[in-house]
Amino acid sequence: MTGFGAPSIAPAGAPARFAGLELLATAVLLVGPDIAVRYANPAAENLLELSLKSLQRSRLPELFANGAELSALCAQALAHQYADLRQDLSLQRPGREPLHVISSVSALGEGGELLIELRENVQQLKLDREERILDQSQANKELIRNMAHEIKNPLGGIRGAAQLLELELPPHHLLELSEYTQVIIKEADRLQTLVDRLLAPHRKPHIVGDVNIHEVCERVRSLILAEFPTGLTIRRDYDASIPEFRGDMEQLIQVVLNIAHNAAQALKLRIAAGDAEIVLRTRVARQVTLAKVRYGLALDLHIIDNGPGIAPEIRDRIFYPLVSGREGGSGLGLTLAQTFVQQHLGVIECESRPGLTDFRILLPLP
Ligand SMILES: Nc1ncnc2c1ncn2[C@@H]1O[C@H](COP(=O)(O)OP(=O)(O)OP(=O)(O)O)[C@@H](O)[C@H]1O
Ligand SMILES: [Mg+2]
């Protein structure tokens, strides 16, 4: 910013003086010693969602609930005439998302003017979004669990009543009327199985031992190959240096099995053609943030298939319970997988396009 013009106090918005700033993609504001806005470039208007005119009517810190931080930064820059004072700020705006920015404030010579640059803090935005998704998925699961409980309670009663009713049916109408009671009993049983599956992940104890991820992969490989003996290749691409870690082996088998099973089901046409492939790939990842916590080392497991890809209309929702794109699917396999991975403090992600679907599991390693 040293090339910026002389600190003469020009009338606000003087075009010649600010011409260069108009083109910048970074938000830049010029404020007077009273921190009243004298000029804001179009990028700043965009970022703050306010026009130049309304910005020029305000003192900058007054636009934010926590503007004091920005005021202090300006005062510091004014007092010490720093060439460039940088700080990460989360600017709170009433009724809107906070604005995460990296700010830098420079004093412009003797006139008491300050040049403020605001750049969006993309990393913070991403973390915020991930946190919101995590909260949302936890709230969803809780809702489903509570509903499942509510459904489960009266089911036993409904089924029992239908059985009693069946015993009381007049013998000469037994055959035709028992068809109805059988419908009630069968449907009650079907619902029972569904709610049991919904509640299952929260019932089973989490049994922790030393887990070798390749043992998990091998178990899944043989289970899938037993079900799909021809037309499907399961390729191993293992990094043998991955250390054992503490976890629940049975749960992790269930996770990889659910994902690989989906892949095998999606590969139906290629299995028939004989060129279906699933790859189990293990790697080590370094310096990753999983569910808000930073780890030096993590397991990076991929389950990749060369099938048709996930149908676009459900792609954003596949981890939600009861979302299925498959005839007869209950839409619980991936929800269960995600719950188990989260219980291991990990995350599960998916990328998919026709010909390549990649489920990625990241788990902290010791
Ligand atoms: N590898 C994949 N390729 C294409 N589509 C997939 C793949 N994995 C998942 N899907 C889609 O995501 C949906 C949700 O999967 P999920 O395992 O949660 O439920 P489901 O397989 O339908 O039923 P369930 O596993 O409970 O028997 C699937 O129905 C399928 O449409
Ligand atoms: Mg499934």
Side-chain angles (χ1 to χ4, degrees):
M1 284 307 138
T2 44
F4 190 74
S8 67
I9 300 181
R17 193 179 170 208
F18 302 117
L21 298 180
E22 296 279 307
L23 302 172
L24 286 185
T26 314
V28 177
L29 298 112
L30 182 79
V31 301
D34 51 353
I35 325 185
V37 178
R38 293 195 170 159
Y39 166 77
N41 72 350
E45 291 179 279
N46 259 340
L47 182 71
L48 302 173
E49 295 171 68
L50 286 170
S51 69
L52 177 58
K53 280 221 164 67
S54 45
L55 281 168
Q56 280 174 331
R57 280 197 291 273
S58 347
R59 292 183 67 244
L60 190 59
E62 283 164 6
L63 298 174
F64 310 108
N66 59 343
E69 234 179 317
L70 190 58
S71 283
L73 211 60
C74 291
Q76 243 178 311
L78 269 178
H80 305 289
Q81 308 270 305
Y82 283 115
D84 187 3
L85 197 62
R86 279 165 198 278
Q87 195 165 319
D88 291 355
L89 294 175
S90 269
L91 299 169
Q92 314 279 350
R93 300 172 296 175
R96 270 185 275 176
E97 299 274 293
L99 199 59
H100 300 294
V101 290
I102 303 166
S103 67
S104 72
V105 180
S106 344
L108 290 182
E110 300 303 314
E113 281 185 315
L114 294 170
L115 190 73
I116 302 176
E117 254 187 275
L118 301 175
R119 264 174 302 128
E120 249 184 307
N121 189 341
V122 182
Q123 182 65 17
Q124 187 61 43
L125 264 178
K126 187 167 167 260
L127 284 178
D128 259 24
R129 203 178 53 231
E130 281 173 4
E131 197 173 315
R132 242 194 341 266
I133 291 173
L134 195 69
D135 286 350
Q136 231 169 39
S137 95
Q138 263 151 12
N140 272 339
K141 285 193 183 126
E142 182 134 348
L143 173 75
I144 297 273
R145 191 160 76 222
N146 292 339
M147 289 229 332
H149 265 298
E150 287 305 311
I151 295 170
K152 190 174 172 59
N153 291 337
L155 265 184
I158 293 172
R159 191 187 197 281
Q163 273 176 318
L164 286 177
L165 188 63
E166 205 167 79
L167 293 177
E168 300 296 325
L169 291 177
H172 52 285
H173 286 307
L174 183 63
L175 221 58
E176 49 193 289
L177 290 182
S178 69
E179 246 179 66
Y180 299 130
T181 49
Q182 279 306 311
V183 169
I184 299 173
I185 292 169
K186 269 206 207 105
E187 289 301 295
D189 285 345
R190 198 174 62 83
L191 264 181
Q192 182 75 47
T193 316
L194 181 71
V195 294
D196 282 345
R197 283 194 69 196
L198 281 170
L199 292 168
H202 310 282
R203 286 233 187 89
K204 282 194 200 134
H206 187 69
I207 303 163
V208 174
D210 286 327
V211 179
N212 174 339
I213 195 60
H214 299 126
E215 216 176 297
V216 171
C217 291
E218 286 299 300
R219 280 271 287 280
V220 171
R221 188 171 180 273
S222 47
L223 284 167
I224 296 281
L225 285 177
E227 190 179 339
F228 303 87
T230 52
L232 172 66
T233 315
I234 303 186
R235 193 152 60 80
R236 313 158 161 113
D237 179 4
Y238 297 160
D239 175 350
S241 73
I242 293 170
E244 289 196 344
F245 59 95
R246 303 289 290 168
D248 183 328
M249 172 134 168
E250 289 307 316
Q251 279 188 3
L252 290 171
I253 290 174
Q254 190 74 61
V255 170
V256 182
L257 185 62
N258 285 5
I259 296 172
H261 200 237
N262 283 344
Q265 284 168 329
L267 282 166
K268 203 168 147 199
L269 290 178
R270 278 193 179 259
I271 288 178
D275 64 353
E277 184 180 66
I278 295 176
V279 181
L280 300 174
R281 175 176 301 155
T282 59
R283 292 288 183 269
V284 164
R286 286 171 207 283
Q287 303 301 336
V288 288
T289 304
L290 307 176
K292 292 183 246 176
V293 184
R294 193 148 182 87
Y295 296 94
L297 214 58
L299 163 68
D300 187 8
L301 167 65
H302 293 256
I303 298 132
I304 305 166
D305 70 73
N306 63 349
I310 296 166
E313 60 274 19
I314 58 165
R315 201 166 287 170
D316 296 334
R317 298 177 289 128
I318 47 169
F319 292 106
Y320 290 5
L322 310 181
V323 171
S324 175
R326 199 161 55 75
E327 189 74 23
S330 57
L332 288 175
L334 289 176
T335 310
L336 196 66
Q338 190 187 45
T339 305
F340 286 156
V341 168
Q342 285 170 353
Q343 284 177 5
H344 284 82
L345 310 179
V347 297
I348 179 167
E349 301 165 353
C350 171
E351 261 178 55
S352 179
R353 58 173 190 266
L356 193 146
T357 299
D358 181 354
F359 278 86
R360 179 185 197 203
I361 295 166
L362 284 155
L363 296 177
L365 283 177

